[in-house]
Amino acid sequence: MDFALSPEERLFLENVRSAVERHVAPHWVDLDSGRYPLERVIAGLAQSGLAGFTIGEEYGGQGGSFLMAALAAEEIAYGDPSMSSAVYFLLECTWPYMVQLYGSDEAKRQVLPEVAAGRAFIGIASTEPHGGSDVAGTTTLAREGSDGWRLYGEKSMVTGVSTALGLPYGGGFVTVARTGPQEDRHRAITLFLAMVKEGGEVRAGFRHRDHEELGRGGIPTAYLYLEGLEVPRQHVVGPLNGGFKVAMEGFNLARAIIGAASIGVARWLLDRAREWVKERKVFDRPIAAYQGVSFKYAELYARLEATRLAVYRAAWLADKYYREAAPGYTVHDVAAAGAVAKYLAVGLAVEVGLEVMKWFGGASYFRELPVNRALLGALSYYVGAEGAENIMKLIIARNLLGREVD
Ligand SMILES: Cc1cc2nc3c(=O)[nH]c(=O)nc-3n(C[C@H](O)[C@H](O)[C@H](O)COP(=O)(O)OP(=O)(O)OC[C@H]3O[C@@H](n4cnc5c(N)ncnc54)[C@H](O)[C@@H]3O)c2cc1C
């Protein structure tokens, strides 16, 4: 076992840090406040090879590993702890990769180079107003016609609709839709790469409305009303009626990188708190002199270090299974490790956020002090994004105990 990064990974990390210092960190508060466009951050990341980072070189991408993606996600979230930039980065490491794995040659050739150039966005449209955890209960309908498919239904909490509409080429969503009877649940679900803007042209057949969000102000999340949006046959992702499994694979991969981004937020918060607890004097002593503060700092730091290992392992397993097709690794290993990574890291980031806000005292409640923006970013993943905490436990328990736990 070797805990050191390879020379290639170390060099990569240095390059990511300088890209983040240039394109992300100086702008994150303005991005979170809606005063700086995400498109400019995307252009900067694309210039540094960080758009659609896991997309293969044959489609203009970097062919980056998931471990490197995890390293980058931590740094990007450290540079923008509101998480908006990291959310963009991790979604583009995941859903375009699923298109690459399961999409048609035509769809891959058409869309992936645009994502890798930072000119297009591919997200996920799974959640519906009746709930997000029960993906097998999807009610959005896909109807087949002579010229392809049309989608009808309502998705909610879809991140990046405005982002796709704001990019020069456009983008779309790996969309979960029903292609058979409701009672067939996960066996009658297909994935479609539904483009909302393509080649610079906004498509007909959909509407959207941004949610009013607590945090993550740089990357809006929206209702997506599908009103007959056309999807050509070549934009079916994976087998007909076999989309449920593919969607789960995408979520598994995303969760490892979400874990890494959450580590970045937690590290940023602890770093901001370090100077503060040494400087802030209460009852004539720096608050770091009180063990109620310093022991908690030590505990959170120790958990951060341990959680980072779980995150790296999840990303490493994803590389073993997807990139190396190494014998002895299964998709269940990737699923369980991704759930562990998300469960531990997101919970930790939220706990660190609450604790650090207490150390900063009342001032932390006001927008002038950016620590609350970091807590709100982490909270998005705590309450649900890419799977609720109980669902992470369900996946882990199912992997350990079998389907009896369902
Ligand atoms: C900021 C943000 C961005 C998002 N972006 C996207 C996106 O881009 N695309 C997308 O498709 N979705 C997105 N989502 C939605 C997200 O995927 C859902 O919030 C998540 O899947 C949970 O669904 P839900 O919120 O409807 O909760 P529900 O599914 O209604 O669950 C409610 C509660 O019940 C618990 N629960 C459910 N089932 C069980 C069980 N069997 N055992 C124990 N507890 C259970 C859950 O843990 C949860 O606490 C986003 C959410 C947020 C907050």
mmCIF file of all heavy atoms in Angstrom, residues 325-354:
data_model
loop_
_atom_site.group_PDB
_atom_site.id
_atom_site.type_symbol
_atom_site.label_atom_id
_atom_site.label_comp_id
_atom_site.label_asym_id
_atom_site.label_seq_id
_atom_site.Cartn_x
_atom_site.Cartn_y
_atom_site.Cartn_z
ATOM 1 N N ALA A 325 -10.818 -2.136 -15.864
ATOM 2 C CA ALA A 325 -11.560 -3.412 -15.915
ATOM 3 C C ALA A 325 -10.763 -4.498 -15.172
ATOM 4 O O ALA A 325 -10.617 -5.627 -15.645
ATOM 5 C CB ALA A 325 -11.829 -3.817 -17.358
ATOM 6 N N ALA A 326 -10.228 -4.110 -14.007
ATOM 7 C CA ALA A 326 -9.388 -5.042 -13.235
ATOM 8 C C ALA A 326 -10.249 -6.183 -12.687
ATOM 9 O O ALA A 326 -11.363 -5.933 -12.213
ATOM 10 C CB ALA A 326 -8.720 -4.286 -12.092
ATOM 11 N N PRO A 327 -9.741 -7.404 -12.743
ATOM 12 C CA PRO A 327 -10.538 -8.524 -12.254
ATOM 13 C C PRO A 327 -10.768 -8.431 -10.737
ATOM 14 O O PRO A 327 -9.916 -7.920 -10.009
ATOM 15 C CB PRO A 327 -9.691 -9.766 -12.603
ATOM 16 C CG PRO A 327 -8.347 -9.263 -12.969
ATOM 17 C CD PRO A 327 -8.438 -7.816 -13.289
ATOM 18 N N GLY A 328 -11.930 -8.910 -10.294
ATOM 19 C CA GLY A 328 -12.201 -8.962 -8.850
ATOM 20 C C GLY A 328 -12.939 -7.743 -8.320
ATOM 21 O O GLY A 328 -13.281 -7.707 -7.140
ATOM 22 N N TYR A 329 -13.175 -6.739 -9.174
ATOM 23 C CA TYR A 329 -13.914 -5.553 -8.710
ATOM 24 C C TYR A 329 -15.274 -5.521 -9.382
ATOM 25 O O TYR A 329 -15.380 -5.764 -10.583
ATOM 26 C CB TYR A 329 -13.136 -4.275 -9.041
ATOM 27 C CG TYR A 329 -11.804 -4.227 -8.339
ATOM 28 C CD1 TYR A 329 -10.643 -4.627 -8.990
ATOM 29 C CD2 TYR A 329 -11.720 -3.815 -7.011
ATOM 30 C CE1 TYR A 329 -9.417 -4.608 -8.339
ATOM 31 C CE2 TYR A 329 -10.493 -3.797 -6.353
ATOM 32 C CZ TYR A 329 -9.348 -4.190 -7.019
ATOM 33 O OH TYR A 329 -8.150 -4.173 -6.366
ATOM 34 N N THR A 330 -16.298 -5.215 -8.599
ATOM 35 C CA THR A 330 -17.651 -5.212 -9.152
ATOM 36 C C THR A 330 -18.263 -3.818 -9.048
ATOM 37 O O THR A 330 -17.775 -2.965 -8.290
ATOM 38 C CB THR A 330 -18.567 -6.189 -8.384
ATOM 39 O OG1 THR A 330 -18.787 -5.645 -7.079
ATOM 40 C CG2 THR A 330 -17.957 -7.586 -8.277
ATOM 41 N N VAL A 331 -19.362 -3.663 -9.756
ATOM 42 C CA VAL A 331 -20.079 -2.386 -9.707
ATOM 43 C C VAL A 331 -20.640 -2.161 -8.293
ATOM 44 O O VAL A 331 -20.799 -1.012 -7.854
ATOM 45 C CB VAL A 331 -21.182 -2.370 -10.800
ATOM 46 C CG1 VAL A 331 -22.348 -3.269 -10.449
ATOM 47 C CG2 VAL A 331 -21.641 -0.959 -11.105
ATOM 48 N N HIS A 332 -20.872 -3.249 -7.561
ATOM 49 C CA HIS A 332 -21.373 -3.106 -6.183
ATOM 50 C C HIS A 332 -20.301 -2.498 -5.271
ATOM 51 O O HIS A 332 -20.613 -1.751 -4.343
ATOM 52 C CB HIS A 332 -21.830 -4.461 -5.629
ATOM 53 C CG HIS A 332 -22.868 -5.096 -6.494
ATOM 54 N ND1 HIS A 332 -24.110 -4.536 -6.660
ATOM 55 C CD2 HIS A 332 -22.833 -6.201 -7.269
ATOM 56 C CE1 HIS A 332 -24.806 -5.280 -7.506
ATOM 57 N NE2 HIS A 332 -24.056 -6.303 -7.896
ATOM 58 N N ASP A 333 -19.023 -2.858 -5.552
ATOM 59 C CA ASP A 333 -17.931 -2.244 -4.776
ATOM 60 C C ASP A 333 -17.936 -0.727 -4.996
ATOM 61 O O ASP A 333 -17.769 0.053 -4.055
ATOM 62 C CB ASP A 333 -16.557 -2.785 -5.234
ATOM 63 C CG ASP A 333 -16.417 -4.279 -4.991
ATOM 64 O OD1 ASP A 333 -17.006 -4.773 -4.005
ATOM 65 O OD2 ASP A 333 -15.727 -4.951 -5.788
ATOM 66 N N VAL A 334 -18.101 -0.332 -6.258
ATOM 67 C CA VAL A 334 -18.097 1.105 -6.594
ATOM 68 C C VAL A 334 -19.290 1.794 -5.920
ATOM 69 O O VAL A 334 -19.164 2.890 -5.356
ATOM 70 C CB VAL A 334 -18.155 1.306 -8.129
ATOM 71 C CG1 VAL A 334 -18.123 2.789 -8.489
ATOM 72 C CG2 VAL A 334 -17.012 0.565 -8.823
ATOM 73 N N ALA A 335 -20.453 1.109 -5.943
ATOM 74 C CA ALA A 335 -21.677 1.691 -5.355
ATOM 75 C C ALA A 335 -21.502 1.892 -3.857
ATOM 76 O O ALA A 335 -21.785 2.978 -3.321
ATOM 77 C CB ALA A 335 -22.866 0.769 -5.633
ATOM 78 N N ALA A 336 -21.023 0.852 -3.173
ATOM 79 C CA ALA A 336 -20.913 0.937 -1.706
ATOM 80 C C ALA A 336 -19.860 1.979 -1.318
ATOM 81 O O ALA A 336 -20.091 2.794 -0.413
ATOM 82 C CB ALA A 336 -20.569 -0.425 -1.120
ATOM 83 N N ALA A 337 -18.721 1.972 -2.017
ATOM 84 C CA ALA A 337 -17.656 2.921 -1.661
ATOM 85 C C ALA A 337 -18.092 4.358 -1.945
ATOM 86 O O ALA A 337 -17.772 5.284 -1.185
ATOM 87 C CB ALA A 337 -16.379 2.590 -2.431
ATOM 88 N N GLY A 338 -18.844 4.566 -3.036
ATOM 89 C CA GLY A 338 -19.348 5.909 -3.360
ATOM 90 C C GLY A 338 -20.317 6.383 -2.283
ATOM 91 O O GLY A 338 -20.288 7.549 -1.862
ATOM 92 N N ALA A 339 -21.173 5.469 -1.816
ATOM 93 C CA ALA A 339 -22.141 5.831 -0.770
ATOM 94 C C ALA A 339 -21.418 6.147 0.538
ATOM 95 O O ALA A 339 -21.772 7.105 1.239
ATOM 96 C CB ALA A 339 -23.147 4.697 -0.574
ATOM 97 N N VAL A 340 -20.385 5.351 0.870
ATOM 98 C CA VAL A 340 -19.602 5.625 2.087
ATOM 99 C C VAL A 340 -18.955 7.008 1.974
ATOM 100 O O VAL A 340 -19.007 7.819 2.909
ATOM 101 C CB VAL A 340 -18.514 4.530 2.298
ATOM 102 C CG1 VAL A 340 -17.516 4.958 3.377
ATOM 103 C CG2 VAL A 340 -19.159 3.192 2.663
ATOM 104 N N ALA A 341 -18.356 7.284 0.804
ATOM 105 C CA ALA A 341 -17.660 8.564 0.611
ATOM 106 C C ALA A 341 -18.626 9.727 0.792
ATOM 107 O O ALA A 341 -18.342 10.700 1.504
ATOM 108 C CB ALA A 341 -17.025 8.606 -0.781
ATOM 109 N N LYS A 342 -19.783 9.618 0.159
ATOM 110 C CA LYS A 342 -20.734 10.745 0.246
ATOM 111 C C LYS A 342 -21.268 10.878 1.669
ATOM 112 O O LYS A 342 -21.332 11.981 2.219
ATOM 113 C CB LYS A 342 -21.885 10.564 -0.748
ATOM 114 C CG LYS A 342 -22.853 11.748 -0.689
ATOM 115 C CD LYS A 342 -23.907 11.714 -1.760
ATOM 116 C CE LYS A 342 -24.675 13.025 -1.807
ATOM 117 N NZ LYS A 342 -25.865 13.071 -0.983
ATOM 118 N N TYR A 343 -21.632 9.758 2.246
ATOM 119 C CA TYR A 343 -22.205 9.781 3.595
ATOM 120 C C TYR A 343 -21.227 10.431 4.589
ATOM 121 O O TYR A 343 -21.580 11.350 5.329
ATOM 122 C CB TYR A 343 -22.559 8.352 4.001
ATOM 123 C CG TYR A 343 -22.862 8.157 5.454
ATOM 124 C CD1 TYR A 343 -23.826 8.915 6.096
ATOM 125 C CD2 TYR A 343 -22.177 7.193 6.207
ATOM 126 C CE1 TYR A 343 -24.104 8.730 7.437
ATOM 127 C CE2 TYR A 343 -22.440 7.005 7.542
ATOM 128 C CZ TYR A 343 -23.401 7.780 8.158
ATOM 129 O OH TYR A 343 -23.667 7.613 9.482
ATOM 130 N N LEU A 344 -19.983 9.955 4.595
ATOM 131 C CA LEU A 344 -19.015 10.470 5.576
ATOM 132 C C LEU A 344 -18.630 11.915 5.288
ATOM 133 O O LEU A 344 -18.609 12.751 6.194
ATOM 134 C CB LEU A 344 -17.743 9.603 5.566
ATOM 135 C CG LEU A 344 -17.869 8.180 6.110
ATOM 136 C CD1 LEU A 344 -16.537 7.453 5.983
ATOM 137 C CD2 LEU A 344 -18.330 8.200 7.570
ATOM 138 N N ALA A 345 -18.315 12.203 4.033
ATOM 139 C CA ALA A 345 -17.727 13.511 3.724
ATOM 140 C C ALA A 345 -18.753 14.639 3.811
ATOM 141 O O ALA A 345 -18.445 15.730 4.309
ATOM 142 C CB ALA A 345 -17.089 13.478 2.335
ATOM 143 N N VAL A 346 -19.956 14.385 3.326
ATOM 144 C CA VAL A 346 -20.968 15.456 3.350
ATOM 145 C C VAL A 346 -21.373 15.748 4.796
ATOM 146 O O VAL A 346 -21.453 16.917 5.216
ATOM 147 C CB VAL A 346 -22.187 15.059 2.481
ATOM 148 C CG1 VAL A 346 -23.320 16.041 2.682
ATOM 149 C CG2 VAL A 346 -21.789 14.973 1.012
ATOM 150 N N GLY A 347 -21.593 14.677 5.566
ATOM 151 C CA GLY A 347 -21.956 14.861 6.981
ATOM 152 C C GLY A 347 -20.873 15.633 7.711
ATOM 153 O O GLY A 347 -21.145 16.537 8.513
ATOM 154 N N LEU A 348 -19.628 15.292 7.408
ATOM 155 C CA LEU A 348 -18.505 15.971 8.066
ATOM 156 C C LEU A 348 -18.464 17.456 7.673
ATOM 157 O O LEU A 348 -18.300 18.328 8.535
ATOM 158 C CB LEU A 348 -17.182 15.288 7.683
ATOM 159 C CG LEU A 348 -15.934 15.938 8.265
ATOM 160 C CD1 LEU A 348 -15.882 15.773 9.783
ATOM 161 C CD2 LEU A 348 -14.676 15.347 7.636
ATOM 162 N N ALA A 349 -18.617 17.731 6.377
ATOM 163 C CA ALA A 349 -18.550 19.134 5.923
ATOM 164 C C ALA A 349 -19.624 19.971 6.615
ATOM 165 O O ALA A 349 -19.371 21.116 7.024
ATOM 166 C CB ALA A 349 -18.687 19.206 4.402
ATOM 167 N N VAL A 350 -20.807 19.396 6.770
ATOM 168 C CA VAL A 350 -21.886 20.149 7.435
ATOM 169 C C VAL A 350 -21.543 20.362 8.907
ATOM 170 O O VAL A 350 -21.695 21.465 9.449
ATOM 171 C CB VAL A 350 -23.236 19.408 7.269
ATOM 172 C CG1 VAL A 350 -24.302 20.009 8.170
ATOM 173 C CG2 VAL A 350 -23.688 19.454 5.810
ATOM 174 N N GLU A 351 -21.029 19.321 9.545
ATOM 175 C CA GLU A 351 -20.677 19.449 10.969
ATOM 176 C C GLU A 351 -19.550 20.474 11.158
ATOM 177 O O GLU A 351 -19.605 21.301 12.069
ATOM 178 C CB GLU A 351 -20.256 18.083 11.494
ATOM 179 C CG GLU A 351 -20.420 17.993 13.000
ATOM 180 C CD GLU A 351 -20.019 16.635 13.538
ATOM 181 O OE1 GLU A 351 -20.306 15.613 12.875
ATOM 182 O OE2 GLU A 351 -19.409 16.604 14.623
ATOM 183 N N VAL A 352 -18.565 20.421 10.284
ATOM 184 C CA VAL A 352 -17.472 21.401 10.365
ATOM 185 C C VAL A 352 -18.049 22.806 10.166
ATOM 186 O O VAL A 352 -17.708 23.744 10.901
ATOM 187 C CB VAL A 352 -16.369 21.108 9.311
ATOM 188 C CG1 VAL A 352 -15.361 22.251 9.246
ATOM 189 C CG2 VAL A 352 -15.647 19.796 9.622
ATOM 190 N N GLY A 353 -18.947 22.933 9.198
ATOM 191 C CA GLY A 353 -19.550 24.245 8.927
ATOM 192 C C GLY A 353 -20.264 24.797 10.152
ATOM 193 O O GLY A 353 -20.083 25.976 10.515
ATOM 194 N N LEU A 354 -21.038 23.968 10.808
ATOM 195 C CA LEU A 354 -21.783 24.438 11.996
ATOM 196 C C LEU A 354 -20.825 24.818 13.113
ATOM 197 O O LEU A 354 -20.990 25.847 13.782
ATOM 198 C CB LEU A 354 -22.739 23.326 12.478
ATOM 199 C CG LEU A 354 -23.967 23.087 11.607
ATOM 200 C CD1 LEU A 354 -24.710 21.835 12.063
ATOM 201 C CD2 LEU A 354 -24.903 24.300 11.645
#
